[in-house]
Amino acid sequence: MRQIDLQAEIFRLRQLGSDFEDLHSEIRSLTLTPGTDARQQLTAKIVDTNELVQQAMFRLAALDGSQYTAVPGSRPSLEALASVVSAASIAACDLSCALEANPLEGAPFPGPPADEAAVRTARHAEAVPAMAEHLADAAHQLNLAHTGCYYLASGITRDLKQHAEQNQATPAPKITDSQYAVLARLSASGGTRYVISRYGVLKVIDKDRATVNVATLNALIKRGFVAVDTTTSLHQGQRLDVTAEGHRALAQYKPTTTPARTAAVTRPAAMQAAAGRTR
């Protein structure tokens, strides 16, 4: 579970919503003259829309797998952000359809002479309403994306506030000294759980490659204090990250040992590794 600046993400979502709103207004006020002029305007708007699609995907990637996923209500929010990506992508597609409907000048296939002026007039008359319809569809999708971003920014703010209030009202989870030591070591940059040898011996290490006690880790996983990335196999190595509840337990931990024993929790990595092997 990655730790990110959620307040910064809320700000970025609001900014993205503002960008979608601006582009929506630009599309609605767009007046297209069929031909090269329309092609140039549509091309610029397609590029702008795809850039916003990319930004929306970046926001989704940042929130997915972060500490926000432990907050009640985060799943609907992530699904809503995915729908923002979808709406913006459809808007780009609608603009591309308008580009396709735009008649471009060029020589026809060889054949009997034709009244090129009449043909041009007919093509333009057919293209104008088709292009207008595609622009209206694109504007509608951009408005959905703009609304979705503001809804998400407000929703995430509300979720975080409610979650913080709930945590304050809920007693802090109690952990043992040994569990605290493991959580403290994994909280910085996580760890790895893997299998060595053909006999399936399970090993756990922290970022300094010092051994972590497997039994203690399993207890933390069971209590939801440590998350395991099971998308990879144990032979490849599974990443370990402290969850939001684990960080809460760390922050509110009260040692039950003497100061001398507690100090041993932060001993050098080599000594930690040796202690882990002897447990």
Side-chain angles (χ1 to χ4, degrees):
M1 183 179 294
R2 301 186 309 278
Q3 298 297 312
I4 63 173
D5 187 341
L6 290 173
Q7 294 303 320
E9 286 303 315
I10 291 171
F11 172 80
R12 294 185 184 107
L13 281 172
R14 293 190 187 279
Q15 182 60 55
L16 182 59
S18 177
D19 292 340
F20 274 124
E21 185 177 23
D22 291 343
L23 185 56
H24 164 261
S25 298
E26 292 171 10
I27 295 298
R28 288 200 60 184
S29 62
L30 203 60
T31 301
L32 297 178
T33 301
T36 300
D37 180 65
R39 177 191 59 76
Q40 292 174 338
Q41 292 185 73
L42 288 169
T43 298
K45 299 309 176 189
I46 292 170
V47 171
D48 292 342
T49 306
N50 281 321
E51 288 179 351
L52 294 185
V53 171
Q54 185 180 45
Q55 291 182 35
M57 289 191 293
F58 284 158
R59 303 283 64 78
L60 180 59
L63 290 170
D64 183 34
S66 73
Q67 76 269 31
Y68 177 59
T69 56
V71 176
S74 58
R75 184 188 301 171
S77 293
L78 292 175
E79 292 172 349
L81 186 49
S83 72
V84 168
V85 174
S86 176
S89 299
I90 294 172
C93 182
D94 288 329
L95 292 172
S96 298
C97 289
L99 181 65
E100 181 186 26
N102 176 47
L104 297 175
E105 302 301 327
F109 286 113
D115 185 346
E116 290 300 325
V119 170
R120 183 175 183 274
T121 299
R123 293 177 67 210
H124 284 203
E126 181 181 355
V128 168
M131 293 167 66
E133 182 178 357
H134 291 310
L135 286 181
D137 291 342
H140 173 66
Q141 294 298 330
L142 290 171
N143 186 52
L144 291 178
H146 142 248
T147 303
C149 285
Y150 281 119
Y151 169 81
L152 280 165
S154 299
I156 293 173
T157 300
R158 181 183 62 252
D159 292 342
L160 293 176
K161 180 180 179 181
Q162 292 176 348
H163 188 54
E165 292 173 349
Q166 182 182 9
N167 282 343
Q168 290 175 358
T170 305
K174 294 182 179 180
I175 54 176
T176 65
D177 295 338
S178 59
Q179 289 174 342
Y180 170 81
V182 171
L183 281 176
R185 290 165 60 189
L186 297 180
S187 63
S189 300
T192 305
R193 182 176 72 170
Y194 61 98
V195 166
I196 60 172
S197 81
R198 60 182 178 179
Y199 300 108
V201 178
L202 188 64
K203 298 284 288 184
V204 182
I205 58 174
D206 62 14
K207 66 181 181 65
D208 296 319
R209 305 195 64 81
T211 303
V212 173
N213 184 270
V214 175
T216 303
L217 174 70
N218 288 340
L220 292 170
I221 293 173
K222 185 176 181 180
R223 296 183 65 185
F225 295 155
V226 174
V228 183
D229 181 5
T230 56
T231 59
T232 58
S233 69
L234 282 169
H235 292 283
Q236 293 176 299
Q238 296 177 334
R239 180 172 174 79
L240 304 169
D241 288 290
V242 177
T243 64
E245 191 69 1
H247 281 285
R248 181 168 173 253
L250 269 176
Q252 302 187 40
Y253 165 75
K254 294 181 179 179
T256 57
T257 60
T258 62
R261 177 67 183 88
T262 304
V265 170
T266 57
R267 59 194 174 201
M271 295 178 65
Q272 292 176 352
R277 289 193 292 270
T278 58
R279 288 183 185 176

